Amino acid sequence: MGSAKNSSSAARKARIEELRRAERARERRNRVLTVAASVVVVGGLVVGGVVLVKSQSDKSSKSDSAASSDAKGGSSGDSGHFTTGKDGVKTWDGKLSRTHVTTKVSYPMHPPVGGNHNPVWLNCNGDVYTKPVQDENAVHALEHGAVWVTYTGKAAKADVDALAAKVKKTPYSLMSPYENQAAPLILSAWGHQVAVKSASDPEVDKFFATYVQGDQTPEPGASCTGGMMK
């Protein structure tokens, strides 16, 4: 039994390390693409005057299109409800939408565990934020398979510090303060959420082991860097 658990843990660690290497390779490619894009921008400035004339003629139709997209942004697109398991983990029973929107979204749960979200994800490569973050960017991080640790002002400093240390050494995780939640300490993943009593609560390790790049991930292996940093 113990051998099987150790084997499973080793496999998960190997998978996360492989993803970390992929992240580093992706970052190198992005730097090359950034340099190339800069060259393209300089060239584009030469013909910018001509493009500007055409863009003015198209301005009205583009504005109408943007307004239509933004009009859809207010709703999360979610439907359903939470069901709570014997271990205290709440699972969303219903639909979690995945449309990209550029406006604020009204989610039916706090913190949100899915739904329409911003096109740019929040960096989740062991990132610890000391100020509140945008729900819409954090939900995109959950879509990539991250676990999001949130806490209120009622959480003990020792627990916050211990959870921050855990997040910092765990790729595909992030942490931020979040006052509008029902418990001092909450862990969230796409479609799943649990309140824990402390950083030493056994459910913390279990939740991380199950949901960091877990089976619930809509976009496994998607980047947790190169997005928003606050």
Side-chain angles (χ1 to χ4, degrees), residues 50-223:
V50 176
V51 173
L52 179 61
V53 172
K54 187 178 187 301
S55 68
Q56 290 299 321
S57 66
D58 295 337
K59 184 177 181 180
S60 177
S61 60
K62 288 184 178 180
S63 296
D64 291 343
S65 176
S68 175
S69 176
D70 286 349
K72 300 177 182 178
S75 170
S76 67
D78 300 338
S79 60
H81 60 276
F82 273 127
T83 58
T84 305
K86 293 180 180 180
D87 56 0
V89 175
K90 298 191 295 183
T91 299
W92 189 257
D93 184 6
K95 175 187 176 184
L96 290 174
S97 294
R98 295 173 54 199
T99 300
H100 287 175
V101 296
T102 57
T103 57
K104 295 290 293 182
V105 176
S106 178
Y107 294 101
M109 75 295 280
H110 300 282
V113 298
N116 295 336
H117 51 270
N118 193 275
V120 181
W121 58 90
L122 190 65
N123 282 349
C124 48
N125 192 34
D127 294 271
V128 174
Y129 301 92
T130 57
K131 295 183 179 180
V133 299
Q134 295 293 328
D135 282 352
E136 295 79 9
N137 302 105
V139 169
H140 197 154
L142 300 187
E143 186 182 40
H144 288 191
V147 163
W148 181 18
V149 178
T150 52
Y151 60 96
T152 72
K154 294 182 180 180
K157 184 178 184 303
D159 289 326
V160 173
D161 290 346
L163 287 169
K166 182 175 182 64
V167 167
K168 287 178 180 178
K169 64 182 181 181
T170 307
Y172 287 93
S173 73
L174 67 154
M175 181 175 180
S176 70
Y178 200 105
E179 290 300 325
N180 185 25
Q181 61 182 36
L185 297 169
I186 288 181
L187 278 58
S188 302
W190 185 271
H192 302 273
Q193 191 170 87
V194 68
V196 295
K197 297 178 180 178
S198 68
S200 60
D201 188 324
E203 188 57 44
V204 173
D205 287 343
K206 180 181 175 183
F207 197 89
F208 269 73
T210 303
Y211 297 113
V212 169
Q213 282 288 290
D215 293 340
Q216 86 292 342
T217 305
E219 297 180 1
S223 180

